[in-house]
Amino acid sequence: LKMFSLGSWLPAFPGLSWGWALLDALLQGLVGACAVSVLCSLLKVYLYIQCLNTPERWAEKEAIGAQRAVLEPLHVLVLTGVLALVGSRVAALVVLEFSLRAISTVLSLGKGAHSSQLYLLCQYSLGCGVSCALSFLLEGAPHRSWNLALAAGLAGLLALQCRRLARHVCALYELHSRARYCGICILLLSAGHRIPRLLRNALAVTFAVADLAAVELINRDFLSTAEAVRFWTPLTICYTLLVVYMQEESGQSTGPAFRTVLVRMGGLFILLLTVGRWTDILHVLLSLLGELWCLFRAGVLLESCWRQ
């Protein structure tokens, strides 16, 4: 017997499969956007506590607490749309580029780079990584739409709880940490410094899976080894130059962060003009919009990281 799946009871109208593909893309984008929301909420909690514990940084604490929570749903909505429209090929390239950049930054941590800064710079890449991983892991699954709907529901619930935690901390942590009668604030008082380690481990696993999925998603478009070599050779050279440039710009303020996004996406744009398709060009422009949107939303947190 054929197992029940979403849409199996509907007649085979022309374009119906396209509609389900669009729904799947939106659900994948929603999961990726929720992952970014969780990352930002936990970093907001960590940076707020760090600023509160340092009197010289109380102005930063006020700026972090003053962020409008009402804009968070808009941020998730816009990012969902961008991730849904960006093709798996360009998303895979974004994931691989960030992974190389992250490895280079981690190796230079002893030279003064800050990991919390890297967490904020990986927002859009994280969304692309989650989308790529889901696209690869659920490819050909009989209940793909149901699986994505379940993943989106769980991711949305987790993002909502992390957002509530961030609002609670910004509003009441200063009082509760002194009074010692709030279990959440007491837990953060004793274990809040472990948030970066938690994020590092989670991101390492996520990007490890995403990198494998990205390589597979890119390689499946090639019919021969020679064709793959013609694509990967200029890509490797381009990414190497970008990583070197990123290292020279690391540790500076948010202005260079926006500039490096333009340089990275510009390099990818020029590369795909020679070895890509016309749809890849459009997806690079959408990726540029996604990167700038994530950096703009996290501007206050980025400033706090660079001043740390």
Side-chain angles (χ1 to χ4, degrees):
L1 294 177
K2 182 178 179 180
M3 298 295 293
F4 174 76
S5 62
L6 194 62
S8 62
W9 50 275
L10 293 174
F13 291 117
L16 187 60
S17 59
W18 179 88
W20 291 125
L22 178 60
L23 175 62
D24 290 348
L26 287 172
L27 290 174
Q28 285 181 193
L30 179 58
V31 176
C34 288
V36 174
S37 178
V38 170
L39 172 68
C40 290
S41 296
L42 292 179
L43 278 175
K44 185 176 182 178
V45 170
Y46 171 72
L47 291 173
Y48 185 88
I49 294 175
Q50 293 299 308
C51 292
L52 183 63
N53 294 335
T54 307
E56 296 81 11
R57 301 179 62 191
W58 279 8
E60 298 175 41
K61 178 205 71 172
E62 296 297 332
I64 293 174
Q67 285 187 304
R68 295 183 180 179
V70 70
L71 295 179
E72 182 64 23
L74 176 63
H75 175 65
V76 172
L77 181 63
V78 172
L79 194 54
T80 297
V82 172
L83 292 174
L85 293 175
V86 171
S88 59
R89 183 182 175 98
V90 171
L93 293 175
V94 171
V95 170
L96 293 176
E97 185 273 332
F98 175 78
S99 297
L100 291 176
R101 188 156 44 101
I103 293 174
S104 176
T105 302
V106 169
L107 292 177
S108 65
L109 281 177
K111 300 178 182 179
H114 296 287
S115 58
S116 54
Q117 168 187 323
L118 184 64
Y119 297 152
L120 287 171
L121 295 177
C122 83
Q123 293 177 77
Y124 181 72
S125 301
L126 173 62
C128 288
V130 172
S131 181
C132 283
L134 288 174
S135 178
F136 174 70
L137 294 175
L138 296 177
E139 187 174 13
H143 304 289
R144 176 186 175 91
S145 297
W146 286 115
N147 292 333
L148 286 172
L150 177 61
L154 294 175
L157 180 62
L158 181 59
L160 180 61
Q161 294 302 319
C162 289
R163 197 184 314 160
R164 287 178 176 175
L165 173 64
R167 286 202 302 265
H168 176 84
V169 168
C170 291
L172 299 171
Y173 178 80
E174 187 173 1
L175 173 63
H176 288 176
S177 60
R178 290 197 304 263
R180 303 290 180 105
Y181 62 81
C182 174
I184 294 176
C185 293
I186 292 176
L187 177 63
L188 290 173
L189 184 64
S190 60
H193 63 281
R194 298 179 182 174
I195 291 178
R197 181 183 301 177
L198 171 66
L199 292 176
R200 182 180 67 240
N201 295 336
L203 289 174
V205 173
T206 301
F207 277 101
V209 176
D211 288 337
L212 295 175
V215 172
E216 181 61 29
L217 289 173
I218 294 175
N219 283 335
R220 71 180 181 182
D221 293 332
F222 302 128
L223 301 177
S224 64
T225 304
E227 187 179 353
V229 170
R230 283 196 299 269
F231 179 85
W232 283 107
T233 300
L235 179 67
T236 303
I237 296 174
C238 178
Y239 278 3
T240 301
L241 294 176
L242 285 175
V243 166
V244 172
Y245 178 78
M246 296 302 109
Q247 285 300 109
E248 294 178 354
E249 294 288 342
S250 64
Q252 301 183 33
S253 59
T254 54
F258 285 94
R259 186 170 66 245
T260 53
V261 168
L262 296 176
V263 172
R264 286 166 41 223
M265 290 301 166
L268 190 57
F269 180 86
I270 295 173
L271 174 67
L272 292 176
L273 279 176
T274 59
V275 296
R277 312 186 187 108
W278 70 268
T279 53
D280 294 336
I281 307 303
L282 177 61
H283 293 159
V284 169
L285 296 178
L286 286 172
S287 294
L288 174 61
L289 174 63
E291 287 272 15
L292 293 176
W293 178 258
C294 289
L295 287 180
F296 176 77
R297 175 64 179 143
V300 174
L301 300 181
L302 276 171
E303 285 293 343
S304 179
C305 288
W306 270 302
R307 292 173 182 172
Q308 193 171 18

